[in-house]
Amino acid sequence: MKKGQIFEGRIEKVDFPNKGFVWVPEKERYVTVKNGIPGQKIRFIVNKFKRGNAEGRLLEVLEKSPLEMREPVCSIFPACGGCMYQTMTYEEQLKMKAGQVKSIIDEAVDKEYIFEGIKASPKEFGYRNKMEFSFGDEYKDGPLSLGLHKKGSTYDVLTAGDCKLVHEDMNQILLCVLEYFKTRNASYYKKMQHVGYLRHLLLRRGDRTGEILVNLVTTTQEQWDLQPLVEELLNLELEGRIVGILHILNDSLSDVVQSDETGILYGQDYFYEKLLGMEFKITPFSFFQPNSQAAEVLYDTVREYVGDVKDMTVYDLFSGTGTIAQVLAPVAKQVIGVEIIEEAVEAAKENAKRNGLDNCRFIAGDVFKVLDEIEEKPDVIVLDPPRDGIHPKALPKILDYQVEKIVYISCKVTSLARDLEMMQARGYEVVKCVAVDQFCSTVHVETCCLLYKVK
């Protein structure tokens, strides 16, 4: 088997997050091909070898999978990389994700544990409260587009004007912004040449409140009067309500959504969302679970796993805007949250005050450094790290507390599995584990794990 060879075959299974396995009889070996669905017959090209394993790129779906029982719900599926599994029934998506999580945890855990399956999202479509759309073109030198990247592409952008992962309000805003700049022949930022104006449209919308924050991200390479755009946006007939329109300047060479400087074009630079009867202030870049209703399912699970913490001190590490801390505060002596993003910490403090909680404390800083400064020792620790898991220097320090119980929430189960290896080596065992689907139709899934210290 060589690079550039083209084969046909059927995807036998898909491992997390989207690695399909295709058997090639004439070569008597499997090839890993991303972006497919179990059961599809595909044509693919071998494009690399990694540690002796062949990897291919999907060229064409020759036959649908028997699992594809539904028609696409948007106009740019399956080319769009925003979601993968919308033609599968939701029940089949859940079954596949549960199997993927269980398989990875089974391999990582060295003793018997209880796998509690997967908990569904209350909403299958229109669930995302945050979306980062990119400006670009669908093909080289094509007209301006605004939306999501094609599968497997870091350049080509498809206009996502009828995306079903978000509320219809977001689609209307996207199309309004795109039309505004299209008619004015505005340029978009080209990542290789580092020239151009338009970069991203970051939209956030409270599922419970309907409050919308519009964030236009551009470079400083051109100067535009954006007030006419503001007026057009405010004249849209939306189900929710735009509470803020921001102009974020970003001259970073890398393709990331960040702010060098932020100006308010209209309203305010935050919005509110409600979870489990509490209200949370959310700013443009503060972390908040992207599926509000599924987050309630996840946090109910965390509360159940944490159990009785009356008269106990709980550490909420990687605490974001403090949602978990505030969910646990009413049943704990105190909760101490640590988060590296200062903006999120300020929002967490304000949220706790707004929700009438005086036993929450939030500290801004790197978990690895901040732990040395906290005087109160924890009785229980909750971990909700970024996708790549916990830094290998920080994890031993966390485990040094030797608390009886740890609850670990992960949005990338392979990172969780890696961290479980060290946790088990340090005397913890996995008691139970459950998947929570916050990302319907996509390859992603949350996992929640309960660990006890072995006595």
Side-chain angles (χ1 to χ4, degrees):
M1 186 173 285
K2 297 176 183 175
K3 276 187 190 179
Q5 284 188 291
I6 294 174
F7 297 96
E8 293 179 5
R10 201 168 295 276
I11 299 174
E12 293 185 10
K13 68 166 185 169
V14 174
D15 280 355
F16 177 86
N18 62 343
K19 294 193 297 185
F21 291 88
V22 183
W23 177 252
V24 181
E26 59 265 44
K27 299 296 181 181
E28 295 189 333
R29 68 185 298 174
Y30 279 101
V31 179
T32 303
V33 183
K34 293 181 177 180
N35 301 327
I37 291 174
Q40 284 178 335
K41 185 178 180 183
I42 62 169
R43 178 179 289 117
F44 62 93
I45 183 169
V46 177
N47 62 345
K48 63 172 138 176
F49 291 87
K50 205 170 179 180
R51 292 189 286 273
N53 299 314
E55 295 186 10
R57 179 167 55 83
L58 178 65
L59 297 175
E60 184 185 359
V61 176
L62 302 172
E63 286 178 23
K64 280 186 173 183
S65 163
L67 299 176
E68 294 183 87
M69 306 288 285
R70 308 190 295 193
E71 292 302 311
V73 295
C74 77
S75 60
I76 53 175
F77 182 86
C80 175
C83 66
M84 193 78 63
Y85 303 127
Q86 58 169 266
T87 51
M88 295 171 66
T89 65
Y90 191 42
E91 291 73 20
E92 287 295 342
Q93 291 180 39
L94 291 172
K95 192 188 298 182
M96 180 177 70
K97 289 183 178 184
Q100 290 173 344
V101 170
K102 185 176 185 301
S103 173
I104 291 167
I105 299 297
D106 281 353
E107 200 169 315
V109 174
D110 50 21
K111 291 183 180 177
E112 277 191 34
Y113 73 102
I114 299 166
F115 182 67
E116 298 185 316
I118 188 166
K119 296 183 179 182
S121 168
K123 287 172 75 172
E124 185 186 350
F125 295 110
Y127 60 84
R128 283 196 69 97
N129 58 44
K130 175 188 176 184
M131 202 67 147
E132 293 175 1
F133 294 111
S134 299
F135 287 94
D137 51 21
E138 190 173 331
Y139 51 89
K140 188 171 169 53
D141 299 324
L144 183 69
S145 57
L146 173 58
L148 300 166
H149 289 275
K150 284 183 183 177
K151 273 190 190 124
S153 172
T154 55
Y155 299 102
D156 302 335
V157 174
L158 298 168
T159 293
D162 63 345
C163 179
K164 294 301 184 285
L165 300 186
V166 299
H167 190 280
E168 179 57 26
D169 284 355
M170 288 199 191
N171 289 325
Q172 284 198 57
I173 291 168
L174 179 148
L175 291 172
C176 175
V177 172
L178 174 60
E179 187 60 25
Y180 180 85
F181 286 113
K182 217 174 183 180
T183 56
R184 289 161 175 79
N185 294 315
S187 65
Y188 73 89
Y189 181 72
K190 296 185 176 179
K191 290 178 282 192
M192 297 300 287
Q193 295 97 322
H194 307 303
V195 295
Y197 179 63
L198 300 166
R199 299 194 72 153
H200 297 94
L201 179 66
L202 167 61
L203 299 180
R204 305 195 75 156
R205 183 187 188 279
D207 184 72
R208 303 288 195 197
T209 63
E211 294 188 354
I212 302 165
L213 198 59
V214 179
N215 306 273
L216 177 68
V217 186
T218 75
T219 67
T220 59
Q221 293 181 26
E222 298 173 19
Q223 302 297 317
W224 284 76
D225 177 12
L226 297 174
Q227 282 310 310
L229 173 62
V230 170
E231 289 168 21
E232 286 189 27
L233 288 170
L234 294 177
N235 283 329
L236 290 173
E237 291 186 13
L238 305 173
E239 186 181 313
R241 179 173 66 94
I242 294 175
V243 297
I245 301 174
L246 309 184
H247 183 199
I248 296 172
L249 300 175
N250 175 17
D251 283 322
S252 167
L253 295 181
S254 57
D255 189 31
V256 292
V257 182
Q258 65 180 39
S259 170
D260 297 335
E261 184 184 334
T262 298
I264 300 177
L265 301 175
Y266 166 81
Q268 61 204 37
D269 60 355
Y270 59 89
F271 72 102
Y272 288 106
E273 177 63 312
K274 292 180 178 176
L275 280 188
L276 298 170
M278 291 185 283
E279 194 167 61
F280 296 91
K281 177 182 178 181
I282 305 166
T283 52
F285 295 105
S286 57
F287 175 78
F288 194 82
Q289 294 289 353
N291 180 341
S292 298
Q293 293 191 32
E296 292 184 325
V297 175
L298 176 65
Y299 294 154
D300 274 335
T301 304
V302 172
R303 205 150 50 178
E304 175 201 327
Y305 277 19
V306 165
D308 184 8
V309 286
K310 187 183 176 186
D311 301 323
M312 291 187 183
T313 296
V314 180
Y315 277 9
D316 175 16
L317 304 183
F318 314 97
S319 55
T321 50
T323 41
I324 292 175
Q326 290 168 76
V327 166
L328 297 177
V331 294
K333 177 186 171 185
Q334 67 170 333
V335 184
I336 299 171
V338 180
E339 167 61 47
I340 198 166
I341 300 172
E342 288 188 25
E343 182 184 312
V345 171
E346 290 309 308
K349 289 175 181 176
E350 192 173 324
N351 289 334
K353 190 175 180 182
R354 173 174 287 271
N355 292 314
L357 300 168
D358 57 8
N359 63 336
C360 286
R361 194 164 105 238
F362 296 98
I363 303 168
D366 188 315
V367 166
F368 178 67
K369 295 174 183 174
V370 167
L371 290 180
D372 293 331
E373 301 163 11
I374 306 174
E375 290 182 11
E376 302 93 330
K377 300 304 178 199
D379 299 296
V380 175
I381 294 176
V382 177
L383 304 168
D384 188 7
R387 287 185 61 77
D388 289 336
I390 302 169
H391 193 282
K393 286 185 178 178
L395 187 53
K397 194 174 280 192
I398 293 166
L399 299 177
D400 282 345
Y401 286 110
Q402 296 288 291
V403 296
E404 183 184 334
K405 189 186 296 184
I406 295 176
V407 177
Y408 191 136
I409 304 144
S410 171
C411 58
K412 187 178 179 184
V413 66
T414 47
S415 298
L416 168 63
R418 181 204 65 214
D419 290 345
L420 286 179
E421 187 176 330
M422 182 186 290
M423 295 170 89
Q424 290 174 114
R426 292 286 301 273
Y428 284 88
E429 64 180 26
V430 176
V431 179
K432 55 184 176 179
C433 177
V434 67
V436 179
D437 189 27
Q438 288 210 91
F439 311 99
C440 320
S441 295
T442 79
V443 302
H444 305 293
V445 62
E446 294 273 329
T447 308
C448 188
C449 226
L450 171 63
L451 297 100
Y452 275 142
K453 183 81 177 73
V454 181
K455 293 179 180 177

